[in-house]
């Protein structure tokens, strides 16, 4: 009866009051039907497209807007009319926004921002929902609640070296943490804090079957949070490369099975996992092999020059399979309950080698078949290519000296395959399906395309040679090509992730957005034109990966009513329609709520000041996009309940008064009526005055 009345009310009220337009029909949800929605929007059109035909012809419009034929081509290549999906999805770090960006290619439209390390109200992440709070708290340091991150390198899970579309990992450089996102619902499921270090940079990179997620350190400190003065830098400070074990079944990192390698106190930098030929090995570049300790008095040397004295730093070459065997055999020590493979053990057992790399190295990218490693140099003009075979030969021949810590140092000439002169400040390299490498040139503000050698060259072109450069605007860091760091790059699209945008966008004040520029690397012959500029105004992204969209198989709604996204199963305790209740046991009150267009059940919660409240709420909708919010005024509570989802909030009703709660998603015509009241009766007359 109640339901019938509601439907009736909606049918009467909606066309009059809300949409106020003719030919409007409604279904029981209070929404216009899809066919009518598009017809309504295009009143004057004779085609099915919203907005109808474009006035004037293309040439006139282009000329009026001052667009060149190339501009028009670029527009046609990137424009998605309403309803057309993108072919690729880019997962980009959101930099110090602590989030992940999901961007469609080639349209460059921002599809979503995934709340990761930072509370985010739209997704109800970190605003009372127990699951999200637990995820965020999992990333706390010993004595500090952490609520932001500097995200650098996302890593999509891989199967046999190819993205499988299941999971996404992202590292936090500021606090040495790692987050796991499940791509079934694009939600963050786990954050883990490195127990032995508070900083990293060389993560996250996965091994070809995602057994391990690699986190390389950066600014060395005494491990485990110990104290030592900088005068004891050489002896007491250490770097780390941490290997997190991923349990794909559970969709979680297993810290118990994870371990860190102790390495010398150089500043480890980017890592990459070997693949195919080099599978089982990991490579990390490093800086500050000078062991600079900075300027704190007149005699000191600042890091900027102190850590740039040497012509060569050391690539770290790690036999991960061997390291894992040693860990399994118990050859570890423990620090803060975490397994450590001691440096001396790695040296004795042939787990760690170095080879020199020029000149303030950065970037470390394994070629698709795994036989070369490409390293940039921030103060160099070459990309330096190392051969995995040559590295192995040098190891086998015992062709090495040792560094100051006794780590075998393989001679540069013995491991280097080629140096490719590209321009100033080569950083990061990606690949395509035609045997080319693409390297970002920070100082040049350009993207270089160059020929790989060896088995990649079947076209007779000269190997290891610059082919072309495209200027980008400006100061490019990473770049990403479609599946460009997998065993089978697609050879389409390149996104230049530029640090500075300077004059590219309208002035929005002194803090400028970054600039993602889309380059067409597939259809322009030798040239790689920039065809789209996309401002990124939420933090400074570093790396991104681009996956074929059809590999992603995300839920459209949660599979069943009462779904707990944390366990990815139905919560047996989830409120369902007809089981709603408010149950008091002393001063513990359990509230079981449901939400559906356009009401909560129940709509009144009567509490006494001091009650401990546990509130379970289920969105019992099954329709796609029928999300409801749940926000309680001045309690810092806001949930986002996607269709089928169950959430739990716990709080103490300390504050007497009357607190409306309401749905924060405009879910239906009577969304404003989707409200409830929480009444908290004061414990005494005095307490009722605020
Ligand atoms: Cu070059 Cu953190 Cu990968 Cu930035 S790093 S650019
Ligand atoms: Cu539910 Cu608005």
């Amino acid at each position: 009866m109640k339901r019938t009345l509601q439907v009736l009310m909606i049918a009467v009220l909606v066309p009059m009051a809300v949409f106020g337009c003719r030919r409007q029909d409604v279904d029981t949800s209070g929404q216009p039907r899809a066919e009518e929605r598009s017809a309504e929007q295009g009143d004057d059109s004779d085609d099915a497209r919203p907005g109808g035909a474009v006035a004037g012809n293309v040439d006139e419009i282009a000329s009026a807007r001052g667009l060149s034929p190339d501009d028009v081509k670029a527009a046609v290549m990137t424009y998605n009319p309403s309803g057309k999906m993108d072919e690729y999805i880019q997962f980009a770090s959101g930099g110090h926004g602590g989030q992940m960006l999901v961007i469609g290619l080639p349209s460059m439209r921002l599809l979503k921002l995934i709340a990761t390390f930072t509370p985010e109200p739209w997704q109800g992440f970190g605003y009372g929902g127990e699951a999200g709070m637990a995820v965020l708290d999992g990333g706390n340091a010993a004595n500090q609640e952490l609520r932001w991150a500097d995200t650098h390198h996302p890593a999509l899970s891989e199967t046999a070296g190819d993205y499988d579309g299941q999971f996404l990992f992202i590292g936090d450089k500021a606090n040495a943490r790692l987050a796991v996102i499940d791509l079934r619902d694009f939600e963050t499921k786990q954050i883990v804090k490195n127990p032995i270090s508070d900083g990293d940079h060389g993560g996250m990179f996965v091994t070809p079957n995602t057994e391990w997620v690699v986190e390389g350190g950066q600014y060395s400190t005494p491990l485990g949070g110990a104290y030592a003065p900088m005068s004891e830098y050489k002896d007491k400070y250490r770097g780390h490369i941490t290997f997190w074990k991923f349990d794909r079944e559970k969709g979680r990192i297993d810290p118990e099975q994870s371990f860190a390698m102790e390495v010398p106190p150089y500043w480890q930098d980017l890592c990459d996992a070997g693949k195919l030929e080099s599978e089982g090995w990991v490579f990390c570049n490093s800086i500050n092999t000078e062991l600079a300790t900075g300027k704190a008095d007149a005699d000191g040397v600042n890091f900027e020059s102190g850590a740039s004295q040497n012509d060569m730093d050391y690539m770290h070459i790690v036999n991960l399979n061997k390291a894992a065997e040693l860990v399994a055999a118990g050859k570890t020590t423990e620090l803060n309950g975490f397994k450590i493979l001691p440096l001396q053990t790695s040296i004795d057992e042939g787990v760690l080698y170095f080879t020199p790399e020029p000149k303030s190295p950065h970037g470390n990218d394994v070629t698709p078949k795994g036989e070369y490693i490409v390293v940039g140099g921030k103060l160099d003009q070459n990309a330096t290519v190392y051969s995995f075979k040559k590295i192995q030969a040098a190891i086998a021949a015992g062709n090495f000296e040792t560094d100051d810590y006794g780590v075998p140092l393989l001679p540069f000439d013995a491991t280097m395959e080629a140096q490719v002169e590209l321009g100033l400040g080569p950083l990061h390299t990606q690949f395509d399906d035609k045997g080319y490498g693409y390297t970002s040139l920070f100082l040049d503000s350009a993207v270089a395309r160059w020929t790989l050698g060896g088995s990649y060259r079947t076209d007779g072109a000269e190997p290891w040679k610059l082919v072309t450069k495209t200027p980008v605007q400006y100061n490019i860091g990473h770049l990403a090509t479609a599946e460009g760091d997998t065993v089978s790059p697609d050879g389409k699209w390149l996104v230049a992730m530029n640090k500075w945008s300077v004059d590219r966008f309208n002035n929005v004040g002194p803090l400028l957005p970054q600039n993602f520029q889309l380059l067409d690397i597939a259809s322009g012959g030798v040239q790689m034109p920039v065809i789209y500029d996309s401002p990124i105004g939420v933090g400074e992204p570093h790396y991104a990966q681009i996956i074929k969209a059809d590999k992603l198989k995300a839920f459209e709604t949660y599979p069943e009513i009462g779904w707990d996204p944390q366990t990815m199963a139905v919560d047996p305790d989830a409120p369902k329609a007809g089981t709603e209740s408010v149950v008091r046991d002393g001063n513990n009150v359990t509230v079981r709520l449901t939400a559906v267009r356009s009401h909560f059940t129940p709509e009144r919660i009567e509490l006494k000041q001091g009650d401990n409240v546990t509130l379970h709420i289920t969105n019992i909708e099954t329709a796609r996009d029928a999300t409801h919010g749940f926000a309680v005024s001045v309690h810092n509570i806001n949930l986002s309940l996607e269709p089928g989802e169950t959430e739990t909030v716990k709080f103490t009703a300390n504050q007497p008064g009357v607190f409306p709660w309401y749905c924060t998603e405009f879910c239906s015509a009577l969304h404003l009526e989707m409200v409830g009241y929480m009444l908290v009766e004061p414990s005494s007359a005095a307490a009722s005055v605020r």
Side-chain angles (χ1 to χ4, degrees), residues 361-682:
H362 193 62
N364 197 300
D365 296 286
V366 176
T367 52
K369 296 179 210 166
E371 63 295 61
Y372 303 112
I373 305 111
V374 182
V375 174
K378 303 187 296 278
L379 303 177
D380 201 8
Q381 19 195 0
N382 300 308
T384 301
V385 182
Y386 297 83
S387 154
F388 182 70
K389 277 202 182 69
K390 289 184 177 177
I391 289 171
Q392 292 306 311
I395 292 172
N399 177 11
F400 49 74
E401 295 170 351
T402 55
D403 84 327
D404 284 355
Y405 291 88
V407 178
L409 178 60
L410 314 172
F412 184 62
D413 291 342
T415 57
M416 191 266 289
E417 177 77 21
Q419 289 199 287
V420 191
E421 192 174 337
L422 298 178
L424 289 178
L427 299 183
H428 303 286
T429 300
Q430 293 269 288
F431 305 96
D432 70 7
D433 56 344
K434 297 168 199 75
Y436 293 101
Y438 298 81
T439 299
S440 53
L441 304 173
F442 178 82
L443 296 174
D444 265 1
S445 283
V447 172
R449 171 195 270 156
W450 50 281
T451 54
L452 300 175
S455 66
Y456 294 97
R457 281 277 64 77
T458 52
D459 56 3
E462 190 180 342
W464 314 122
K465 256 286 185 261
L466 175 68
V467 177
T468 189
K469 280 201 260 187
T470 296
V472 291
Q473 289 73 30
Y474 304 89
N475 295 4
I476 179 174
H478 277 271
L479 39 62
T481 57
E483 309 225 346
D485 64 358
T486 70
V487 294
S488 58
D490 285 4
K492 279 180 160 181
W493 310 121
L494 184 151
V495 176
M497 305 173 72
N498 305 318
K499 310 290 183 192
W500 285 20
S501 60
V502 188
D503 53 6
R504 296 290 108 173
F505 304 113
N506 298 71
N507 186 358
V508 290
L511 179 62
L512 275 64
Q514 340 298 316
N515 187 9
F516 277 15
Q517 287 185 306
L518 182 68
L519 278 66
D520 171 22
I521 59 168
S523 64
V526 170
Q527 300 306 318
M528 312 182 284
V530 170
I531 58 171
Y532 199 91
D533 275 33
S534 184
I536 304 290
V538 295
E540 186 202 306
H542 289 259
Y543 190 39
Q545 291 182 327
I546 301 169
I547 182 175
K548 194 88 192 311
D550 61 15
K551 287 186 175 179
L552 296 165
K553 303 272 187 272
F555 295 152
E556 296 194 340
T557 62
Y558 281 113
E560 291 176 62
I561 300 290
W563 197 264
D564 175 355
Q566 201 51 29
T567 59
M568 281 294 196
V570 172
D571 174 357
D573 218 24
K576 304 251 172 80
T579 73
E580 300 91 343
S581 62
V582 180
V583 175
R584 171 176 293 279
D585 174 13
N587 66 344
N588 297 319
V589 179
T590 303
V591 182
R592 298 166 54 78
L593 279 170
T594 59
V596 71
R597 280 165 288 173
S598 305
H599 58 276
F600 297 100
T601 306
E603 292 183 329
R604 272 205 316 267
I605 305 172
E606 291 177 11
L607 302 172
K608 295 187 193 332
Q609 187 178 5
D611 280 349
N612 300 313
V613 183
T614 303
L615 188 151
H616 306 283
I617 178 166
T618 306
N619 176 349
I620 59 173
E621 303 267 4
T622 53
R624 198 171 179 200
D625 213 351
T627 295
H628 298 290
F630 178 82
V632 186
S633 59
V634 302
H635 282 70
N636 204 30
I637 292 172
N638 183 41
L639 310 178
S640 171
L641 300 152
E642 287 92 67
E645 182 176 1
T646 281
E647 280 245 49
T648 297
V649 191
K650 290 185 181 164
F651 61 97
T652 304
N654 281 326
Q655 210 179 150
V658 176
F659 307 97
W661 85 76
Y662 72 101
C663 168
T664 45
E665 286 273 335
F666 205 119
C667 52
S668 71
L670 294 180
H671 148 84
L672 292 184
E673 287 75 4
M674 194 165 173
V675 62
Y677 276 81
M678 181 172 91
L679 297 101
V680 183
E681 192 183 321

Side-chain angles (χ1 to χ4, degrees), residues 53-174:
V54 177
N57 70 40
V58 174
D59 289 344
E60 284 165 7
I61 296 167
S63 122
R65 295 197 67 208
L67 303 180
S68 71
D70 280 346
D71 295 336
V72 173
K73 187 179 162 202
V76 172
M77 289 182 77
T78 55
Y79 176 66
N80 272 5
S82 182
K84 185 171 168 63
M85 309 289 162
D86 280 303
E87 187 187 2
Y88 285 92
I89 302 293
Q90 177 184 28
F91 290 96
S93 91
H96 25 28
Q99 295 151 330
M100 290 295 307
L101 308 176
V102 186
I103 295 168
L105 259 63
S107 76
M108 299 301 280
R109 295 178 299 188
L110 176 65
L111 300 174
K112 195 171 203 174
L113 181 156
I114 305 174
T116 309
F117 293 102
T118 305
E120 202 287 315
W122 169 55
Q123 289 155 90
F125 185 65
Y127 293 95
E130 290 260 288
M133 303 300 275
V135 170
L136 285 165
D137 284 342
N140 288 344
N143 298 309
Q144 182 64 53
E145 188 175 271
L146 297 171
R147 288 295 181 266
W148 79 286
D150 184 13
T151 58
H152 277 235
H153 306 105
L156 285 156
S157 60
E158 296 181 7
T159 299
D162 251 324
Y163 303 149
D164 55 36
Q166 293 183 3
F167 295 95
L168 179 64
F169 308 93
I170 176 77
D172 167 20
K173 167 168 166 153

